[in-house]
Amino acid sequence: MFLRRSVPALRKPTRLAALGVGARRAYQDESFGYRKPRPFEVEDYTEEQLTNRTVNAALLRYADSVRMHGHRAASIDPLDLLERDPVAALDPERYGLVDKDQEYDVDGIVFGLGKQEAKGLHSLREMEEWLRSVYVGKIAYEFMHSPSKATRLWFAKHLESQAQEPLPAEQKIRIAKLLSESEVFENFLQTKFPNLKRYGGEGAESMIAGLDGLFAVAAAAGVEHIILCMPHRGRLALLTGLLEYPSAALFHKIKGGSEVPEELGATADVISHLTAAPSLVYEGAAKPIKVTMLPNPSHLEAVNPVAMGKTRAKQYSLLRDLFGGADPAECKLGDKVMCVQLHGDAAFTGQGVVMESLGLSDLPHYTSGGSVHIVVNNNIGYTTPSTSARSSLYCSDVAKMIAAPVLHVNGDHPEEVVRAIQTAFMYRQHFRKDIVIDLITYRRWGHNELDEPAYTQPLMYDKIRNRKSVPQLYEERVQVEGVLDTTGVSNLRSEYKAKLEKELTASDTYVPVADHLKEQWSSMVWPASPEADHSPETGVSEETLKEVAKASVTIPEDFEIHPRLQRHVKQRLDSVSSGKGIDFGAAEAMAFGSLMLEGYNVRISGQDVGRGTFSHRHAMLVDQKTERVVVPLNISLGEGQGMLELANSSLSEFGVLGFEWGVSIDSPRLLPIWESQFGDFFNGAQIIIDTFVSSGETKWLRQSGLIMLLPHGLDGAGPEHSSARIERFLQLTNDPYEKEEFNPNMHVVNVTTSAQYFHLLRRQMKRNYRKPLIVASPKGLLRAPAAASLLAEMATGTKFQPVLPDPTITDPSSVKRLILLSGKFYYILARERDQRKLSSDVAIVRIEELAPFPFDAVKELLQTYSNAELVWAQEEARNQGGYPHVAPRIASILDELPDGPRTMKYVGRKESPVPAVAVGKWHARESKQLLDDALNGL
């Protein structure tokens, strides 16, 4: 509500300037990618208006009450099933306004009365009728909950000063065509494929008209790319209609064919996950607008943060002001690319990733300039009614956590849907923030077309089955208005049906074509092709590495770092100068910097990544007096370099990892990294890992170079934060049990030296394809001298080694026991071996890359140590860690060796439902037992 002001408080008219910061503390971050909220202005009240608002305070209270509560009385439910109590707040008598003919000065209180300018005297009756026509109609508005006065004032002025002009006849014909074709398509599928679960959009056809209207106004405003995500409901009609997906391709898929060429070896996906990326031409737009619908899994809402990430990445690849030279005013975040997210009502309320994604929407390293959300609301989730699906009044109420305006609109009225969505776009363009359309519709059939919804919703479906469809109602309307006659309406349907019949015939000979290596991905190859370079050289000249290392700790002269970081700077400079003791932080900085010198960009995202959870990175430095932030690598390398974005994230895993996967699929020129604070934090994002990271290429041909850094290692900390659950990722790989040619879906590593980590980071970009990389990254080894590397190990001519041999063994034939392992346990076991003086009897070999399993290297190793007893040792429990993965693969190698049967002994903790015990004495006892089991008997 607006606050009343006394006359002495009056001031000269101003413009409301808002940055969207509110009560959040300011932080002096101007590092690459940190996008401060876009400033915007709204005309404030004049001095005369403020006076009038005080004089006519009762009238003001009434007007604001209609704005705030009008949605509760609006006619927004096509089925009229919503319980709507009388809204006393809409009665002017409640505010002492009883004479409908009394005239008031409405200046500054109401901003328009139809085509009349809202100045001078107007009767209470005029004002009441106009406010009700605006706020208590087929569109209902919620914006008064916003803490931003600028937002509230913008909506009031925009809504109340816009006369409801009829849509042009051409647009009405366009709407009728889209709606009619949608219904013809759904009926065609039902006739030709009666046993198909198509999740049709009948009852919500106005969604297509609304999207068409959104694309049109966006294209006219200069938006060039739409990143679109949606669930299954109505997807096929949208794809084959507005988004121009070939109907023949769909029919081919329904008949059992594939949407991707079979020779690529992909699994493909179900019809409700199909995608399209057309370039649509709209009158009045300078350029076509490309609409990219993203592939998605059946996990509702999982794709939404992915769409946000891809939108942000796409905008960063287009905004010239971020990559040198152009006037920043020429192109701002959100000008060229827009995210459009479709939701179901039950999922929007019930899925926590919605809240996580909304929480990212206006964060400096995650905003993309505002998403338009469209909730296709049929007031039921599968068979669950809304009363059991949510605790809130509306399914859209979750969006109020970010003060997003909500426009509820009756889906039976396509023209109102178009108007609502156009208003939403105008808001998004002005404020560059998220806005929600609650499109209230119904579901004509059950959850799928083979379901019987009347089992659980008899009254709802009695109404649905006795009413005309949305397309039929609109066809009747345009005939009454004389826009189309009966013949014209009939032609819309008959022509499209004839087209579908032709496409159905063509589907028998349809041949799918892959679209995965086009545009920005044209420089990449399919990973299974002969041209794929699986193990490129990743070393860099020592001179360049030294320059990068120095740049990584070079700060401006007027910048004061924390005193304890002086040691960090000195240690890095000393190590690269001597060529020894290069720790993980330095190796990482040199990998980033060397890639940036080659024109690649790097983005590392997660909680506290700028400093690093274990205070090892310090890639972002903060001035101790001003809190000014600098990223040394961005200011010290030279001309033409790529940029490093350090995105300290919210406390989200599902949303943020989905966002980063979306970033990763936009361009192969960016190295995207997500780092969890501890390894097991990933399990909050397991849906993203299962359905995108591990399977996105296999299902959709979408390559991703995403790296997941998961700090791992048992150190007595208890069940949580000890394990990155390596076994889960290994189980998700398609790694074969025996050696064969295959296309790995992702790589899983547990590296033990900083040089190995350096090469892995560079390998991600230097290969001519992209693969996800899961790194069980160290905790205690980050600054451990034993794990530090020589500069020469990263120099020209070097590369990543999947297997690291024992550097102390000179005579393999004399070795009595060969221990294979992975990760930091190597250093613990090697130290114990040396203390027991068993260095010549025991060889310890590290398997650094667990998947794809290095069959050739391990086979050669076993042949070299042909006289040795074979042991696999690990800290983790037997049902965890690397053992369940490596055991059958090593067994297959042993079966091939010519020197008789050999077996592999297991040394490690016994099976356990948790990664580690939580009692210090028990942990110490288990750790000692591991060493004894590995080394006793020699």
Side-chain angles (χ1 to χ4, degrees), residues 42 46 56 73 101 119 167 269 314 323 369 373 388 444 473 563 619 621 635 666 706 790 796 853 924:
V42 175
T46 66
N56 291 302
D101 295 318
K119 290 185 178 181
L167 297 181
D269 207 350
K314 176 68 68 180
F323 296 106
H373 300 263
S388 297
R444 179 161 289 277
L473 290 173
L621 300 175
I635 60 176
D666 184 68
L706 177 68
L790 301 174
T796 304
F853 190 73

PDB file of all heavy atoms in Angstrom, residues 42 46 56 73 101 119 167 269 314 323 369 373 388 444 473 563 619 621 635 666 706 790 796 853 924:
ATOM      1  N   VAL A  42      10.904   5.185 -13.146  1.00  0.00           N
ATOM      2  CA  VAL A  42       9.467   5.354 -13.333  1.00  0.00           C
ATOM      3  C   VAL A  42       9.108   6.749 -12.835  1.00  0.00           C
ATOM      4  O   VAL A  42       9.591   7.176 -11.780  1.00  0.00           O
ATOM      5  CB  VAL A  42       8.668   4.284 -12.555  1.00  0.00           C
ATOM      6  CG1 VAL A  42       7.175   4.549 -12.664  1.00  0.00           C
ATOM      7  CG2 VAL A  42       9.001   2.893 -13.080  1.00  0.00           C
ATOM      8  N   THR A  46       3.836  13.919  -9.000  1.00  0.00           N
ATOM      9  CA  THR A  46       4.133  15.343  -8.939  1.00  0.00           C
ATOM     10  C   THR A  46       3.702  15.885  -7.578  1.00  0.00           C
ATOM     11  O   THR A  46       3.001  15.218  -6.805  1.00  0.00           O
ATOM     12  CB  THR A  46       3.378  16.097 -10.037  1.00  0.00           C
ATOM     13  OG1 THR A  46       1.973  16.003  -9.773  1.00  0.00           O
ATOM     14  CG2 THR A  46       3.691  15.517 -11.410  1.00  0.00           C
ATOM     15  N   ASN A  56      -7.620  13.285  -0.864  1.00  0.00           N
ATOM     16  CA  ASN A  56      -8.597  12.241  -1.177  1.00  0.00           C
ATOM     17  C   ASN A  56      -8.092  10.875  -0.718  1.00  0.00           C
ATOM     18  O   ASN A  56      -8.038   9.906  -1.485  1.00  0.00           O
ATOM     19  CB  ASN A  56      -8.890  12.217  -2.678  1.00  0.00           C
ATOM     20  CG  ASN A  56      -9.655  13.441  -3.131  1.00  0.00           C
ATOM     21  OD1 ASN A  56     -10.747  13.714  -2.622  1.00  0.00           O
ATOM     22  ND2 ASN A  56      -9.092  14.186  -4.074  1.00  0.00           N
ATOM     23  N   ALA A  73     -11.632 -11.616  -7.111  1.00  0.00           N
ATOM     24  CA  ALA A  73     -12.987 -11.618  -7.662  1.00  0.00           C
ATOM     25  C   ALA A  73     -12.997 -11.758  -9.178  1.00  0.00           C
ATOM     26  O   ALA A  73     -14.064 -11.825  -9.785  1.00  0.00           O
ATOM     27  CB  ALA A  73     -13.710 -10.339  -7.262  1.00  0.00           C
ATOM     28  N   ASP A 101     -22.386   9.276  -7.683  1.00  0.00           N
ATOM     29  CA  ASP A 101     -22.339  10.402  -8.616  1.00  0.00           C
ATOM     30  C   ASP A 101     -21.408  11.517  -8.159  1.00  0.00           C
ATOM     31  O   ASP A 101     -21.171  12.472  -8.909  1.00  0.00           O
ATOM     32  CB  ASP A 101     -23.745  10.974  -8.814  1.00  0.00           C
ATOM     33  CG  ASP A 101     -24.665   9.972  -9.500  1.00  0.00           C
ATOM     34  OD1 ASP A 101     -24.193   9.313 -10.457  1.00  0.00           O
ATOM     35  OD2 ASP A 101     -25.824   9.853  -9.074  1.00  0.00           O
ATOM     36  N   LYS A 119      -7.375  13.055 -15.379  1.00  0.00           N
ATOM     37  CA  LYS A 119      -7.172  14.323 -14.691  1.00  0.00           C
ATOM     38  C   LYS A 119      -8.505  15.036 -14.598  1.00  0.00           C
ATOM     39  O   LYS A 119      -9.431  14.778 -15.365  1.00  0.00           O
ATOM     40  CB  LYS A 119      -6.148  15.199 -15.429  1.00  0.00           C
ATOM     41  CG  LYS A 119      -4.724  14.654 -15.353  1.00  0.00           C
ATOM     42  CD  LYS A 119      -3.732  15.617 -15.990  1.00  0.00           C
ATOM     43  CE  LYS A 119      -2.311  15.082 -15.855  1.00  0.00           C
ATOM     44  NZ  LYS A 119      -1.323  16.017 -16.452  1.00  0.00           N
ATOM     45  N   LEU A 167      -7.790  -6.392 -31.054  1.00  0.00           N
ATOM     46  CA  LEU A 167      -6.643  -6.855 -31.829  1.00  0.00           C
ATOM     47  C   LEU A 167      -6.934  -6.698 -33.309  1.00  0.00           C
ATOM     48  O   LEU A 167      -8.090  -6.802 -33.744  1.00  0.00           O
ATOM     49  CB  LEU A 167      -6.345  -8.316 -31.515  1.00  0.00           C
ATOM     50  CG  LEU A 167      -5.931  -8.666 -30.081  1.00  0.00           C
ATOM     51  CD1 LEU A 167      -5.663 -10.164 -29.968  1.00  0.00           C
ATOM     52  CD2 LEU A 167      -4.719  -7.868 -29.646  1.00  0.00           C
ATOM     53  N   ASP A 269      15.340 -40.454 -27.268  1.00  0.00           N
ATOM     54  CA  ASP A 269      14.477 -40.190 -26.116  1.00  0.00           C
ATOM     55  C   ASP A 269      13.023 -40.314 -26.537  1.00  0.00           C
ATOM     56  O   ASP A 269      12.717 -40.514 -27.718  1.00  0.00           O
ATOM     57  CB  ASP A 269      14.774 -38.803 -25.534  1.00  0.00           C
ATOM     58  CG  ASP A 269      14.454 -38.703 -24.045  1.00  0.00           C
ATOM     59  OD1 ASP A 269      13.834 -39.633 -23.502  1.00  0.00           O
ATOM     60  OD2 ASP A 269      14.822 -37.688 -23.432  1.00  0.00           O
ATOM     61  N   LYS A 314      24.468 -17.744 -23.612  1.00  0.00           N
ATOM     62  CA  LYS A 314      24.207 -17.218 -24.961  1.00  0.00           C
ATOM     63  C   LYS A 314      24.346 -15.700 -24.984  1.00  0.00           C
ATOM     64  O   LYS A 314      24.926 -15.124 -25.905  1.00  0.00           O
ATOM     65  CB  LYS A 314      22.801 -17.628 -25.401  1.00  0.00           C
ATOM     66  CG  LYS A 314      22.353 -17.082 -26.737  1.00  0.00           C
ATOM     67  CD  LYS A 314      23.136 -17.688 -27.870  1.00  0.00           C
ATOM     68  CE  LYS A 314      22.812 -19.160 -28.040  1.00  0.00           C
ATOM     69  NZ  LYS A 314      23.577 -19.774 -29.137  1.00  0.00           N
ATOM     70  N   PHE A 323      33.296  -8.220 -24.071  1.00  0.00           N
ATOM     71  CA  PHE A 323      34.512  -8.741 -24.674  1.00  0.00           C
ATOM     72  C   PHE A 323      35.256  -7.671 -25.455  1.00  0.00           C
ATOM     73  O   PHE A 323      35.900  -7.944 -26.450  1.00  0.00           O
ATOM     74  CB  PHE A 323      34.184  -9.955 -25.560  1.00  0.00           C
ATOM     75  CG  PHE A 323      33.639 -11.089 -24.775  1.00  0.00           C
ATOM     76  CD1 PHE A 323      32.306 -11.413 -24.823  1.00  0.00           C
ATOM     77  CD2 PHE A 323      34.458 -11.824 -23.933  1.00  0.00           C
ATOM     78  CE1 PHE A 323      31.796 -12.451 -24.075  1.00  0.00           C
ATOM     79  CE2 PHE A 323      33.962 -12.859 -23.181  1.00  0.00           C
ATOM     80  CZ  PHE A 323      32.631 -13.181 -23.248  1.00  0.00           C
ATOM     81  N   GLY A 369      18.665 -11.321 -17.258  1.00  0.00           N
ATOM     82  CA  GLY A 369      17.840 -10.208 -17.684  1.00  0.00           C
ATOM     83  C   GLY A 369      16.354 -10.482 -17.608  1.00  0.00           C
ATOM     84  O   GLY A 369      15.564  -9.789 -18.245  1.00  0.00           O
ATOM     85  N   HIS A 373       7.782 -16.500 -17.150  1.00  0.00           N
ATOM     86  CA  HIS A 373       7.276 -17.806 -16.738  1.00  0.00           C
ATOM     87  C   HIS A 373       5.816 -17.920 -17.137  1.00  0.00           C
ATOM     88  O   HIS A 373       5.030 -17.002 -16.889  1.00  0.00           O
ATOM     89  CB  HIS A 373       7.384 -17.972 -15.218  1.00  0.00           C
ATOM     90  CG  HIS A 373       8.767 -17.871 -14.674  1.00  0.00           C
ATOM     91  ND1 HIS A 373       9.546 -18.972 -14.403  1.00  0.00           N
ATOM     92  CD2 HIS A 373       9.523 -16.790 -14.343  1.00  0.00           C
ATOM     93  CE1 HIS A 373      10.717 -18.579 -13.921  1.00  0.00           C
ATOM     94  NE2 HIS A 373      10.730 -17.251 -13.885  1.00  0.00           N
ATOM     95  N   SER A 388      -5.035 -30.498  -2.505  1.00  0.00           N
ATOM     96  CA  SER A 388      -4.068 -31.421  -1.914  1.00  0.00           C
ATOM     97  C   SER A 388      -2.660 -31.209  -2.436  1.00  0.00           C
ATOM     98  O   SER A 388      -1.716 -31.846  -1.968  1.00  0.00           O
ATOM     99  CB  SER A 388      -4.484 -32.874  -2.197  1.00  0.00           C
ATOM    100  OG  SER A 388      -5.718 -33.178  -1.595  1.00  0.00           O
ATOM    101  N   ARG A 444      -8.448 -31.631 -20.871  1.00  0.00           N
ATOM    102  CA  ARG A 444      -9.648 -32.276 -21.409  1.00  0.00           C
ATOM    103  C   ARG A 444      -9.646 -33.773 -21.141  1.00  0.00           C
ATOM    104  O   ARG A 444     -10.700 -34.361 -20.880  1.00  0.00           O
ATOM    105  CB  ARG A 444      -9.769 -32.001 -22.910  1.00  0.00           C
ATOM    106  CG  ARG A 444     -10.994 -32.663 -23.535  1.00  0.00           C
ATOM    107  CD  ARG A 444     -11.357 -32.030 -24.855  1.00  0.00           C
ATOM    108  NE  ARG A 444     -11.911 -30.687 -24.713  1.00  0.00           N
ATOM    109  CZ  ARG A 444     -13.188 -30.427 -24.429  1.00  0.00           C
ATOM    110  NH1 ARG A 444     -14.046 -31.409 -24.209  1.00  0.00           N
ATOM    111  NH2 ARG A 444     -13.616 -29.182 -24.336  1.00  0.00           N
ATOM    112  N   LEU A 473     -14.690 -22.343 -29.444  1.00  0.00           N
ATOM    113  CA  LEU A 473     -15.238 -21.094 -28.904  1.00  0.00           C
ATOM    114  C   LEU A 473     -14.658 -19.885 -29.637  1.00  0.00           C
ATOM    115  O   LEU A 473     -15.376 -18.919 -29.940  1.00  0.00           O
ATOM    116  CB  LEU A 473     -14.948 -20.996 -27.404  1.00  0.00           C
ATOM    117  CG  LEU A 473     -15.700 -21.969 -26.500  1.00  0.00           C
ATOM    118  CD1 LEU A 473     -15.173 -21.872 -25.070  1.00  0.00           C
ATOM    119  CD2 LEU A 473     -17.198 -21.686 -26.531  1.00  0.00           C
ATOM    120  N   PRO A 563      46.611  -9.567   5.308  1.00  0.00           N
ATOM    121  CA  PRO A 563      48.017  -9.838   5.621  1.00  0.00           C
ATOM    122  C   PRO A 563      48.404 -11.317   5.485  1.00  0.00           C
ATOM    123  O   PRO A 563      49.522 -11.631   5.052  1.00  0.00           O
ATOM    124  CB  PRO A 563      48.153  -9.369   7.075  1.00  0.00           C
ATOM    125  CG  PRO A 563      47.083  -8.347   7.244  1.00  0.00           C
ATOM    126  CD  PRO A 563      45.950  -8.792   6.379  1.00  0.00           C
ATOM    127  N   ALA A 619      41.473 -16.974  -6.030  1.00  0.00           N
ATOM    128  CA  ALA A 619      41.484 -16.398  -7.370  1.00  0.00           C
ATOM    129  C   ALA A 619      40.779 -15.052  -7.389  1.00  0.00           C
ATOM    130  O   ALA A 619      40.955 -14.257  -8.302  1.00  0.00           O
ATOM    131  CB  ALA A 619      40.812 -17.351  -8.352  1.00  0.00           C
ATOM    132  N   LEU A 621      40.286 -11.667  -4.982  1.00  0.00           N
ATOM    133  CA  LEU A 621      40.851 -10.994  -3.818  1.00  0.00           C
ATOM    134  C   LEU A 621      39.994  -9.785  -3.452  1.00  0.00           C
ATOM    135  O   LEU A 621      39.418  -9.127  -4.326  1.00  0.00           O
ATOM    136  CB  LEU A 621      42.284 -10.551  -4.109  1.00  0.00           C
ATOM    137  CG  LEU A 621      43.268 -11.684  -4.466  1.00  0.00           C
ATOM    138  CD1 LEU A 621      44.623 -11.104  -4.852  1.00  0.00           C
ATOM    139  CD2 LEU A 621      43.406 -12.673  -3.315  1.00  0.00           C
ATOM    140  N   ILE A 635      43.116  -9.158 -15.177  1.00  0.00           N
ATOM    141  CA  ILE A 635      43.692  -7.827 -15.402  1.00  0.00           C
ATOM    142  C   ILE A 635      45.179  -7.868 -15.703  1.00  0.00           C
ATOM    143  O   ILE A 635      45.777  -6.828 -15.956  1.00  0.00           O
ATOM    144  CB  ILE A 635      43.462  -6.917 -14.175  1.00  0.00           C
ATOM    145  CG1 ILE A 635      44.107  -7.514 -12.919  1.00  0.00           C
ATOM    146  CG2 ILE A 635      41.982  -6.694 -13.947  1.00  0.00           C
ATOM    147  CD1 ILE A 635      44.007  -6.623 -11.696  1.00  0.00           C
ATOM    148  N   ASP A 666      26.068 -24.430 -24.351  1.00  0.00           N
ATOM    149  CA  ASP A 666      25.917 -23.327 -25.296  1.00  0.00           C
ATOM    150  C   ASP A 666      27.122 -23.172 -26.202  1.00  0.00           C
ATOM    151  O   ASP A 666      26.972 -22.919 -27.393  1.00  0.00           O
ATOM    152  CB  ASP A 666      25.672 -22.013 -24.567  1.00  0.00           C
ATOM    153  CG  ASP A 666      25.409 -20.877 -25.539  1.00  0.00           C
ATOM    154  OD1 ASP A 666      24.349 -20.911 -26.199  1.00  0.00           O
ATOM    155  OD2 ASP A 666      26.260 -19.991 -25.670  1.00  0.00           O
ATOM    156  N   LEU A 706      31.309 -29.844 -18.947  1.00  0.00           N
ATOM    157  CA  LEU A 706      31.189 -29.490 -17.533  1.00  0.00           C
ATOM    158  C   LEU A 706      32.127 -30.319 -16.666  1.00  0.00           C
ATOM    159  O   LEU A 706      32.204 -31.542 -16.793  1.00  0.00           O
ATOM    160  CB  LEU A 706      29.742 -29.718 -17.079  1.00  0.00           C
ATOM    161  CG  LEU A 706      29.452 -29.466 -15.591  1.00  0.00           C
ATOM    162  CD1 LEU A 706      29.581 -27.991 -15.256  1.00  0.00           C
ATOM    163  CD2 LEU A 706      28.058 -29.979 -15.226  1.00  0.00           C
ATOM    164  N   LEU A 790      56.384 -30.712 -10.021  1.00  0.00           N
ATOM    165  CA  LEU A 790      57.411 -29.897 -10.649  1.00  0.00           C
ATOM    166  C   LEU A 790      56.808 -29.116 -11.812  1.00  0.00           C
ATOM    167  O   LEU A 790      55.874 -29.586 -12.474  1.00  0.00           O
ATOM    168  CB  LEU A 790      58.541 -30.784 -11.178  1.00  0.00           C
ATOM    169  CG  LEU A 790      59.280 -31.663 -10.161  1.00  0.00           C
ATOM    170  CD1 LEU A 790      60.260 -32.579 -10.883  1.00  0.00           C
ATOM    171  CD2 LEU A 790      60.009 -30.799  -9.148  1.00  0.00           C
ATOM    172  N   THR A 796      55.787 -28.184 -21.936  1.00  0.00           N
ATOM    173  CA  THR A 796      55.539 -28.670 -23.286  1.00  0.00           C
ATOM    174  C   THR A 796      55.936 -30.138 -23.414  1.00  0.00           C
ATOM    175  O   THR A 796      56.999 -30.552 -22.933  1.00  0.00           O
ATOM    176  CB  THR A 796      56.342 -27.827 -24.292  1.00  0.00           C
ATOM    177  OG1 THR A 796      55.987 -26.448 -24.129  1.00  0.00           O
ATOM    178  CG2 THR A 796      56.064 -28.271 -25.716  1.00  0.00           C
ATOM    179  N   PHE A 853      37.945 -46.984 -17.991  1.00  0.00           N
ATOM    180  CA  PHE A 853      38.996 -47.760 -17.331  1.00  0.00           C
ATOM    181  C   PHE A 853      40.183 -47.953 -18.268  1.00  0.00           C
ATOM    182  O   PHE A 853      40.011 -48.333 -19.439  1.00  0.00           O
ATOM    183  CB  PHE A 853      38.449 -49.113 -16.891  1.00  0.00           C
ATOM    184  CG  PHE A 853      39.384 -49.871 -16.000  1.00  0.00           C
ATOM    185  CD1 PHE A 853      39.573 -49.485 -14.691  1.00  0.00           C
ATOM    186  CD2 PHE A 853      40.092 -50.959 -16.482  1.00  0.00           C
ATOM    187  CE1 PHE A 853      40.439 -50.166 -13.855  1.00  0.00           C
ATOM    188  CE2 PHE A 853      40.970 -51.655 -15.662  1.00  0.00           C
ATOM    189  CZ  PHE A 853      41.145 -51.252 -14.343  1.00  0.00           C
ATOM    190  N   ALA A 924      40.344 -44.168  13.785  1.00  0.00           N
ATOM    191  CA  ALA A 924      41.778 -44.459  13.913  1.00  0.00           C
ATOM    192  C   ALA A 924      42.039 -45.966  13.880  1.00  0.00           C
ATOM    193  O   ALA A 924      43.005 -46.435  13.258  1.00  0.00           O
ATOM    194  CB  ALA A 924      42.314 -43.842  15.202  1.00  0.00           C
TER     195      ALA A 924
END
